[in-house]
Amino acid sequence: MGTRGVRADREPAERLPIARVCVDMPLAHLDRPFDYLVSAADDEAAQPGVRVKVRFAGQLVSGFLLGRAESSEHDGKLAYLEKVVSPERVLDPEIARLARAVADRYAGNLADVLRLAVPPRHARVESQALPSRTPATPPAPAAPASSPSAPPSPASPASPVPVPGSSAGAGVVAGPTAGAEVGAGVVAGPTAGAEVGAGVVAGPTAAAEVEAGGDVPSERGPAADESAPEQAAEIPARGWAGIREPVVGGWDAYPAGPAYLRALTDRRPARAVWSALPGEDWALRIAEAAAATVRGGRGVVIVVADARDLERVDRALLAVLGEGRHVALNAALGPAERYRRFLAAGRHQVPVVVGTRAAMWAPVPDLGLVVIWDDGDDLHAEPRAPYPHARDVLLTRARLADCAALVAGFARTGEGQLLLETGWAREIAAERMTLRRRSPIISPTGDDPQLARDPGAVTARLPSLAWQAARQALQAGFPVLVQVPRRGYLPSVACAECRTPARCPKCSGPLGLQGARDVPICHWCARAAAAFRCPACGEQRLRASVIGARRTAEELGRAFAGVPVRTSGRDEVLDTVPAAPALVVATPGAEPVADGGFGAVLLLDTWALLSRADLRAAEETMRRWLNAAALARSAPDGGRVVVVADGALAPVQALLRWDPGWFAARELAERRDLGFPPAARMASVTGQAAAVAELLSLARLPEETEILGPVPAPEEQERMLLRVSRSRAADLAHALHEAAGVRSARKAALPVRIQVDPADLF
């Protein structure tokens, strides 16, 4: 009873008594901020970006305080904030704007994006050190939320510590009135479609979305305020002591490389697509680009695909920047250490953050450069709603913060090529003479001269050309890399007599062998089929349909007696191998780095990559081949790459010339003719047939929307594809999100999964 009395006696804060809160609710019709009162006791702690607890529909739920205002458009009684969980401002104003933009881009909810952007709280870590950021000039009062046709008011409340160059109005949030008002904390505002989230107008005509290669304004944020006070803990001025200069033979090997570094130092928003040379120490080049940005007094965010790449960039940054100037974010660190490093970035104690996919949300002071390495890797795609891709998130950050961007890799995606063709980015590539000097000798086994010398090369898994290249490299004292697309021993087997694929007698799943002396095991139900008998001919003997990495290592061990054979794959991934004769059998993405480079790289079973039923099969094959071939020594040093494929194929031709740009342009032209991403925008709607039909009937789709399907989906569901031109992408995303909001307000029982630009179309 005493607690109730204390709550009844609470008085609102004298200044900016209204808190606008993003409540952690996954329902689409609640994707808007709600207004609450700030008590005088919580006035100091309740700053934009802190975690709070509020009463919502009778429950105590978590949320983020997005901003403070003088008044609310809601005429009824407002509830107070129940609790300020922590005074730590974990949601940076720039990240709040970015989250709203990404939610609009992918037809998702702001709460879902913030769940990805801000890691869970670790109270002990927060208490170990006080925040280094000190409050700046108090924010100005907020004007009432505008109508759908009116622009957002420039007098939005600012965070106590705004990021230079970002919106000073990071706290003004108004939401649609669709759906019933829930609980005591209610927000009133414009109708759905004209939301203003964290200072970014999120309607269909002004969604904060990066069209990969589309028209991107050069201004800072949509509501940028150049008069915003500078933060207290900003990056020191140029010329930090201890930062290493770029090495000779690095960026100067590319005609545009030195100019790009100068642009970073001069704080210009230089945007580039970089095609790295074979054998390039790409981690060191990225570290040097980060150092140039830091010299200009701005921050850097670097995203790589996996932990091995992260370790390489981490070591390179330590060598170039020195101690204490960067943090590496990785989920494997554990919750405490990861949160400690996140706070170091959020408190603006370091200017550079590197990490895997989650690092794309890392707050840094005065963002000057975003970098993504190997953007075609599927690890960059977020598997949780609303399924954003790291490349698109970073490009959105670059646009909102008016900063530089670097999309880098040995290969090039269609999205990267589109950035170049539309002029949004410039190309950084080496001249042909430099490329010939740095590349290994690359040979196919299926062209006419090879077939004339070795007629069996068409059917042989290891043609004589590949065998000779491996033998010569081993004799020269170099290791040999063998790339095999499939892991395991014999992942797929068939009847030895009639070649019928072997299936489990219980569930009809595919059978495979895990070892030479093992019995067949079903990949679906894991049952052993020791007494397997072919249902077509009655034969009991089996033969290999697909050979995995472990069986390949066994065969090579017999072919090269006395040579050590090592495998690198899911069970054990090798980071490095010594410069000694050895055979290294690796699956794509698990190739180790050899000291001095591999003497030979053999690309086997290429049909397994090229024949996949996937829109990006050829692009993914090109990426995997180039990443493996880049580990070979240069041609003058005896390096050689043998690809077991027909030399007339387009991916093989691009590999022979080491021309990822030509191949990416070819792929993009074909997709443009067929209307596939990134030339067009597509959305996938998956669920039970009745639920999908209901959502599409509610969605006010753009007039030109092309509906493809339905096609079967797993778990007895169906899938519909929606296709529009790039100019109508924001309209499509808004229409789907609005329809999902109507279904959630009606408490629809059957869920529907919405994905914008899904990775898999087939």
Side-chain angles (χ1 to χ4, degrees):
M1 297 296 293
T3 303
R4 289 188 178 181
V6 171
R7 290 180 177 176
D9 293 339
R10 284 187 295 189
E11 295 291 335
E14 292 184 2
R15 188 170 180 274
L16 303 179
I18 306 300
R20 285 180 174 153
V21 178
C22 173
V23 181
D24 189 6
M25 297 292 287
L27 301 176
H29 71 287
L30 301 178
D31 183 30
R32 59 187 187 273
F34 291 84
D35 287 1
Y36 288 84
L37 285 174
V38 179
S39 67
D42 292 333
D43 186 20
E44 183 177 353
Q47 301 298 330
V50 302
R51 290 183 169 97
V52 295
K53 293 281 188 179
V54 296
R55 288 286 172 185
F56 194 88
Q59 298 180 352
L60 189 64
V61 298
S62 301
F64 289 98
L65 198 158
L66 299 177
R68 299 272 297 271
E70 284 288 357
S71 61
S72 171
E73 292 186 350
H74 178 62
D75 296 330
K77 183 179 180 181
L78 295 179
Y80 280 92
L81 296 177
E82 287 292 320
K83 180 182 179 182
V84 176
V85 176
S86 167
E88 187 77 45
R89 296 190 295 277
V90 292
L91 180 58
D92 197 89
E94 184 223 348
I95 303 303
R97 296 196 310 137
L98 174 66
R100 181 69 265 174
V102 171
D104 295 333
R105 160 74 168 80
Y106 286 94
N109 300 337
L110 177 60
D112 289 337
V113 178
L114 293 181
R115 204 175 298 120
L116 301 175
V118 183
R121 179 174 180 252
H122 202 284
R124 181 173 57 84
V125 173
E126 279 188 3
S127 64
Q128 287 176 349
L130 294 176
S132 63
R133 295 192 290 182
T134 56
T137 306
S146 58
S147 64
S149 60
S153 170
S156 309
S159 167
V161 187
V163 175
S166 66
S167 170
V172 176
V173 232
T177 56
E181 298 177 347
V182 182
V186 184
V187 63
T191 57
E195 304 176 9
V196 181
V200 180
V201 178
T205 59
E209 165 191 13
V210 160
E211 294 284 341
D215 296 330
V216 180
S218 60
E219 294 81 19
R220 292 185 181 266
D225 184 0
E226 298 298 335
S227 63
E230 294 294 324
Q231 65 191 34
E234 67 176 18
I235 298 177
R238 328 176 164 217
W240 271 20
I243 296 182
R244 201 172 75 185
E245 294 292 330
V247 300
V248 177
W251 281 107
D252 53 5
Y254 307 86
Y260 185 74
L261 295 186
R262 287 195 300 271
L264 296 179
T265 304
D266 294 340
R267 303 170 63 92
R268 285 180 283 154
R271 294 155 185 172
V273 176
W274 172 37
S275 297
L277 283 165
E280 180 67 270
D281 189 351
W282 57 268
L284 184 58
R285 300 289 86 77
I286 290 176
E288 291 170 347
T293 307
V294 172
R295 288 191 189 95
R298 303 190 74 177
V300 183
V301 171
I302 304 168
V303 174
V304 295
D306 55 36
R308 292 197 309 147
D309 289 346
L310 176 57
E311 290 178 6
R312 293 187 63 182
V313 180
D314 189 20
R315 290 194 298 266
L317 288 171
L318 182 62
V320 174
L321 296 177
E323 290 279 358
R325 288 169 180 161
H326 82 282
V327 291
L329 299 179
N330 187 1
L333 293 170
E337 181 59 27
R338 183 185 175 207
Y339 193 61
R340 181 178 292 106
R341 298 187 183 189
F342 172 81
L343 289 182
R347 294 170 178 175
H348 299 173
Q349 295 171 345
V350 291
V352 180
V353 177
V354 59
T356 49
R357 183 179 59 240
M360 61 188 175
W361 307 104
V364 296
D366 193 8
L367 183 64
L369 173 66
V370 294
V371 181
I372 183 169
W373 172 258
D374 199 11
D375 65 302
D377 196 310
D378 56 6
L379 292 177
H380 287 302
E382 175 60 57
R384 293 169 293 179
Y387 319 105
H389 194 283
R391 175 188 54 243
D392 293 333
V393 173
L394 291 178
L395 295 181
T396 302
R397 288 193 76 171
R399 182 177 71 88
L400 295 178
D402 192 27
C403 72
L406 183 63
V407 180
F410 293 113
R412 185 181 299 173
T413 60
E415 287 78 6
Q417 182 65 25
L418 187 60
L419 295 176
L420 297 176
E421 293 187 5
T422 55
W424 193 87
R426 302 295 182 184
E427 183 181 32
I428 298 180
E431 296 178 339
R432 296 305 301 180
M433 290 297 295
T434 304
L435 184 59
R436 294 190 187 99
R437 187 172 63 253
R438 299 273 292 269
S439 299
I441 298 173
I442 305 176
S443 307
T445 60
D447 57 358
D448 292 338
Q450 290 299 327
L451 293 178
R453 288 191 292 268
D454 182 12
V458 176
T459 58
R461 187 160 184 261
L462 189 67
S464 60
L465 177 64
W467 187 85
Q468 292 170 3
R471 185 185 62 178
Q472 293 171 1
L474 294 172
Q475 291 176 347
F478 303 137
V480 174
L481 174 65
V482 182
Q483 186 192 74
V484 181
R486 304 292 179 86
R487 63 176 182 264
Y489 190 75
L490 294 180
S492 178
V493 291
C495 174
E497 182 66 26
C498 65
R499 304 298 194 264
T500 300
R503 293 283 179 177
C504 175
K506 298 293 184 181
C507 70
S508 299
L511 296 180
L513 288 174
Q514 299 179 353
R517 301 181 183 275
D518 293 341
V519 297
I521 299 293
C522 177
H523 291 303
W524 290 0
C525 66
R527 287 189 175 95
F532 172 80
R533 185 180 295 274
C534 178
C537 66
E539 178 62 51
Q540 290 183 305
R541 292 178 299 120
L542 296 172
R543 71 183 302 273
S545 296
V546 177
I547 298 177
R550 287 199 294 115
R551 175 59 181 265
T552 302
E554 183 181 290
E555 294 177 350
L556 292 175
R558 291 195 294 263
F560 297 91
V563 177
V565 181
R566 308 182 66 183
T567 60
S568 180
R570 183 180 64 175
D571 297 333
E572 181 185 6
V573 178
L574 304 176
D575 291 332
T576 60
V577 294
L583 289 164
V584 181
V585 181
T587 51
E591 301 92 347
V593 177
D595 293 340
F598 288 98
V601 174
L602 311 182
L603 306 175
L604 305 185
D605 299 340
T606 56
W607 57 269
L609 295 176
L610 291 171
S611 61
R612 291 183 305 129
D614 191 338
L615 172 67
R616 299 179 182 270
E619 179 181 280
E620 177 67 7
T621 301
M622 187 82 259
R623 187 186 72 84
R624 293 181 176 186
W625 285 355
L626 288 175
N627 286 349
L631 300 174
R633 302 170 69 89
S634 64
D637 293 333
R640 190 165 189 179
V641 175
V642 178
V643 52
V644 183
D646 185 359
L649 298 174
V652 181
Q653 284 290 311
L655 177 65
L656 297 180
R657 300 195 305 270
W658 201 281
D659 196 350
W662 170 82
F663 183 76
R666 185 178 183 274
E667 280 285 298
L668 181 59
E670 290 182 355
R671 294 187 204 174
R672 187 178 283 116
D673 292 340
L674 297 173
F676 284 143
R681 288 290 193 212
M682 298 190 78
S684 157
V685 180
T686 307
Q688 299 294 331
V692 172
E694 179 188 17
L695 184 137
L696 293 181
S697 67
L698 295 172
R700 295 181 292 180
L701 300 174
E703 292 183 0
E704 64 180 47
T705 303
E706 184 178 0
I707 301 178
L708 309 175
V711 295
E715 300 179 0
E716 300 181 354
Q717 296 180 331
E718 72 174 26
R719 188 185 194 196
M720 300 286 284
L721 293 177
L722 311 177
R723 177 165 58 190
V724 296
S725 63
R726 294 178 57 81
S727 62
R728 304 303 300 274
D731 296 339
L732 175 63
H734 175 73
L736 291 175
H737 183 55
E738 186 181 48
V742 174
R743 291 190 75 247
S744 66
R746 293 177 178 177
K747 299 182 179 180
L750 299 176
V752 175
R753 180 178 182 178
I754 300 174
Q755 286 183 274
V756 176
D757 286 345
D760 299 322
L761 293 179
F762 308 124

